Amino acid sequence: EIVLTQSPATLSLSPGERATLSCRASQSVNGYLAWYQQKPGQAPRLLMYDASNRAPGIPARFSGSGSGTDFTLTISSLEPEDFAVYYCQQRSNWFTFGQGTKLEIK
Amino acid sequence: QVQLQQSGPRLVKPSQTLSLTCAISGDTVSSNIAAWHWIRQSPSRGLECLGRTYYRSKWYSDYAASVKSRITINADTSKNQFSLQLNAVTPEDTAVYYCARLYCDRISCYAFDIWGRGTFVAVSS
């Protein structure tokens, strides 16, 4: 099983700041990595797929990068609605998710 | 607009069978460019993909190794829905259960773009 490790567990930032979230895979996932946002009481929402492709309707302040085992989700300038939990997920070998990064207001 | 509507009991006794249904609107369960998944979320196990069903000239089902001996996912084309059955449940199966669409095209499958709202299922006597 491919294990995804996200860091940091919690990220405290202010609106307008830049957020950088990391996801490391236990083996190469060939770029087949997605990012999701989840707010309390809601299902996850797809943000990015295949590392750097924004899903339809996702604002341009969200971007993704990486390859092999190391991936990054960047939010260029945080809006109040961006504070949530973010998960990475790979589809290279079955489907597994990271444990999440909580982005909280500082 | 594709939507997934989940239904099923929210309380199941240990050793019994957990059964959930996901009704699809705006898409078809027999689509050649989708797969239909069940995913659960719990504090102890996080987000866990349990399995899927999909149609590519015939029906396929794939399951996670962790539940393979206990799970069945089926499609019902007459009702445009798919279902989850998880047998011999224990309290460790207590979780929020989601159905989700894996978006595909003719080349590959990509990510879970549509989700149901989730059903919290408690396993307790």
Side-chain angles (χ1 to χ4, degrees):
Chain A
E1 175 181 307
I2 296 178
V3 176
L4 299 179
T5 302
Q6 293 186 240
S7 61
T10 303
L11 185 57
S12 300
L13 293 170
S14 300
E17 290 193 293
R18 181 184 186 91
T20 303
L21 288 68
S22 295
C23 178
R24 174 165 289 180
S26 59
Q27 63 191 76
S28 175
V29 298
N30 301 305
Y32 299 147
L33 191 102
W35 290 94
Y36 300 83
Q37 175 194 70
Q38 188 177 33
K39 296 180 179 179
Q42 297 183 15
R45 173 195 180 199
L46 176 64
L47 300 174
M48 313 290 301
Y49 64 94
D50 286 2
S52 60
N53 296 285
R54 264 191 307 276
I58 301 304
R61 64 180 182 274
F62 290 91
S63 63
S65 64
S67 63
T69 61
D70 291 299
F71 298 86
T72 300
L73 175 69
T74 300
I75 310 172
S76 59
S77 179
L78 286 165
E79 297 287 340
E81 62 267 27
D82 297 337
F83 292 91
V85 180
Y86 291 83
Y87 294 96
C88 56
Q89 171 252 317
Q90 64 81 25
R91 63 176 179 90
S92 179
N93 184 349
W94 191 237
F95 305 88
T96 56
F97 292 82
Q99 83 281 11
T101 289
K102 182 179 182 180
L103 179 56
E104 65 176 24
I105 299 176
K106 187 173 182 180
Chain B
Q1 180 184 359
V2 181
Q3 292 186 317
L4 304 178
Q5 180 67 44
Q6 300 179 215
S7 60
R10 296 172 184 267
L11 179 63
V12 182
K13 288 181 167 40
S15 80
Q16 296 192 343
T17 296
L18 182 159
S19 298
L20 295 172
T21 299
C22 184
I24 303 164
S25 58
D27 200 350
T28 60
V29 71
S30 54
S31 168
N32 279 302
I33 54 170
W36 305 96
H37 287 243
W38 286 99
I39 297 166
R40 67 182 177 184
Q41 184 174 28
S42 66
S44 58
R45 302 176 73 96
L47 285 159
E48 180 183 17
C49 180
L50 300 176
R52 63 180 175 175
T53 190
Y54 59 100
Y55 185 78
R56 300 291 187 268
S57 302
K58 68 175 186 177
W59 286 101
Y60 296 86
S61 294
D62 302 314
Y63 305 120
S66 60
V67 294
K68 193 169 185 176
S69 63
R70 304 192 286 133
I71 189 173
T72 303
I73 297 176
N74 284 324
D76 183 339
T77 57
S78 67
K79 296 181 179 179
N80 201 32
Q81 65 186 30
F82 62 107
S83 62
L84 165 69
Q85 286 196 307
L86 187 64
N87 301 323
V89 296
T90 72
E92 286 67 44
D93 294 310
T94 294
V96 177
Y97 287 76
Y98 294 100
C99 56
R101 183 180 79 171
L102 181 71
Y103 172 72
C104 307
D105 61 20
R106 300 197 186 283
I107 299 171
S108 186
C109 291
Y110 298 100
F112 301 110
D113 66 332
I114 306 293
W115 295 67
R117 297 183 71 172
T119 301
F120 177 72
V121 179
V123 178
S124 174
S125 53

